[in-house]
Amino acid sequence: VRGTRDTQMMRVARWPRGVLLAMAPVAALQVRGLGGGVRRARVECAVQGPDGKAPKLLVLGGTGYLGREVVRRAVRRGYKVTSLSRRGANPQAGDPLMDTVTWVAGDATESATIRPLVREADAVVHAVGLLFDSASGLDNLNLIVSGSGSKPAEDSTYDRVTRLTAFNAIEAAADKPRLPFSKRTPFIFVSAAEAGWPDVQFGDVVEGRLAPEWLKRYLVAKRQVEAKLNELSSTLRPVIYRPSLIWSPTKFDVLPIIPVFNLASALGVPFVDRTVRVGTLADAIVAGLADDDVQGVQRFPEIDQLAATLRKP
């Protein structure tokens, strides 16, 4: 990741009334609980915003399975993070890193909610999504497969949850006033490996003949967002991540199928990508935010490479 390697730390003390007080630069972020115990978390100020201060990052869907991992890593990297989600509550309250985040409850399908948050941000990550929308007939399964126990509302279609929320944020970011010759605003979108099926051998056949209708609608929404980002690449720096299955050791619903995907990918099946651990994807997203040379589609090899750069000492 390009940028300064200087590392600065903050000490934060939690007073009985919950007021956080920045004390002085030290080697760790310290949070003192009501019981008097102190916990530490390493914060690396490895990035800078346009004004030389900590850059401001807006994460849409920051309470979700992937979003919370992005938030954690971005805070550790030195970003000042705001999360917008339907729930809005800190999913890991009491965690010294996560407690520094501004957690906002709101509806990203409403442009009036999105615009003021985007206006204040130096970069945006769109991690909003769902596998089964309300029209799929399978929406109750999201309680199992979402990773964060999310259940879609009755109007939670792919068009609204994926396309509309992303379009609202993209348009708001593109409309921001900017100085001549200023850098493009990084905009991260989490798409899907299957969105690239038209570009690989037999992918169009799999999608046209084998894919269920809900998956086709899912991919339509993802591709519409990708196209919108590319249209506005003169003012935005689009970074489009296309992971296959995203997993972690505790996400039991996908663990049985992980070896199948990985084996098919290793054998060269062109329309199956290797799976990606959620932490690896989150690392890659934060790395992509800071590197001005990163743009366009990132499949699993690029995701691995970007994640590795973030982990370098």
Side-chain angles (χ1 to χ4, degrees), residues 224-246:
Q224 287 176 327
V225 177
E226 291 188 11
K228 182 74 168 180
L229 277 170
N230 289 327
E231 288 173 9
L232 296 171
S233 60
S234 61
T235 54
L236 305 180
R237 176 166 63 84
V239 188
I240 299 165
Y241 291 84
R242 285 184 181 169
S244 179
L245 289 179
I246 306 171

Side-chain angles (χ1 to χ4, degrees), residues 10 12 14 18 20 29 31 43 55-64 67-85 88-105 117:
M10 291 179 61
V12 178
R14 185 181 295 274
L20 290 175
L29 178 75
V31 175
V43 178
K56 299 175 183 178
L57 173 65
L58 173 63
V59 179
L60 304 178
T63 61
R68 67 184 64 180
E69 298 298 328
V70 173
V71 166
R72 171 181 292 280
R73 286 159 173 78
V75 171
R76 184 180 292 128
R77 202 67 179 161
Y79 287 89
K80 184 177 180 181
V81 180
T82 296
S83 164
L84 174 67
S85 64
N90 182 350
Q92 296 170 333
D95 182 285
L97 287 176
M98 303 296 267
D99 284 346
T100 68
V101 176
T102 300
W103 301 96
V104 179
L117 297 174

Side-chain angles (χ1 to χ4, degrees), residues 1 33 40 69 90 109 117 121 137 190 222 240 246 251 268 279 301 306:
V1 179
R40 297 169 179 259
E69 298 298 328
N90 182 350
T109 65
L117 297 174
V190 182
K222 295 287 191 183
I240 299 165
I246 306 171
K251 201 170 187 299
L306 283 168

Side-chain angles (χ1 to χ4, degrees), residues 37-300:
V38 174
R39 285 178 297 166
R40 297 169 179 259
R42 183 177 179 83
V43 178
E44 304 175 10
C45 297
V47 289
Q48 288 185 346
D51 57 0
K53 299 179 182 178
K56 299 175 183 178
L57 173 65
L58 173 63
V59 179
L60 304 178
T63 61
Y65 176 60
L66 171 62
R68 67 184 64 180
E69 298 298 328
V70 173
V71 166
R72 171 181 292 280
R73 286 159 173 78
V75 171
R76 184 180 292 128
R77 202 67 179 161
Y79 287 89
K80 184 177 180 181
V81 180
T82 296
S83 164
L84 174 67
S85 64
R86 286 185 303 155
R87 288 172 283 190
N90 182 350
Q92 296 170 333
D95 182 285
L97 287 176
M98 303 296 267
D99 284 346
T100 68
V101 176
T102 300
W103 301 96
V104 179
D107 187 351
T109 65
E110 297 177 356
S111 180
T113 300
I114 287 277
R115 282 191 170 269
L117 297 174
V118 172
R119 190 181 305 121
E120 296 297 319
D122 299 310
V124 180
V125 172
H126 185 284
V128 179
L130 76 170
L131 183 57
F132 301 118
D133 73 351
S134 57
S136 68
L138 303 170
D139 50 313
N140 284 330
L141 292 178
N142 284 295
L143 290 170
I144 301 172
V145 302
S146 73
S148 62
S150 177
K151 186 179 186 303
E154 292 182 1
D155 62 348
S156 293
T157 61
Y158 299 124
D159 184 70
R160 286 179 58 80
V161 172
T162 299
R163 185 198 64 81
L164 182 55
T165 61
F167 272 35
N168 284 343
I170 291 168
E171 291 167 358
D175 290 344
K176 286 178 57 175
R178 65 189 65 243
L179 296 173
F181 309 109
S182 60
K183 290 183 178 181
R184 294 176 297 165
T185 301
F187 196 108
I188 307 295
F189 175 62
V190 182
S191 186
E194 295 76 15
W197 272 348
D199 304 324
V200 301
Q201 189 178 21
F202 306 126
D204 55 344
V205 175
V206 172
E207 182 172 348
R209 298 183 182 180
L210 302 177
E213 286 303 313
W214 65 263
L215 179 55
K216 293 178 181 179
R217 290 187 294 104
Y218 173 88
L219 295 177
V220 165
K222 295 287 191 183
R223 290 168 184 154
Q224 287 176 327
V225 177
E226 291 188 11
K228 182 74 168 180
L229 277 170
N230 289 327
E231 288 173 9
L232 296 171
S233 60
S234 61
T235 54
L236 305 180
R237 176 166 63 84
V239 188
I240 299 165
Y241 291 84
R242 285 184 181 169
S244 179
L245 289 179
I246 306 171
W247 65 282
S248 57
T250 57
K251 201 170 187 299
F252 301 114
D253 59 297
V254 297
L255 290 182
I257 201 171
I258 296 298
V260 178
F261 272 66
N262 291 348
L263 178 61
S265 178
L267 292 174
V269 178
F271 50 84
V272 179
D273 275 12
R274 201 202 68 215
T275 62
V276 178
R277 289 183 69 137
V278 66
T280 300
L281 180 56
D283 283 339
I285 287 173
V286 175
L289 281 171
D291 191 334
D292 292 335
D293 292 333
V294 176
Q295 65 177 24
V297 172
Q298 314 293 314
R299 293 178 64 185
F300 72 89

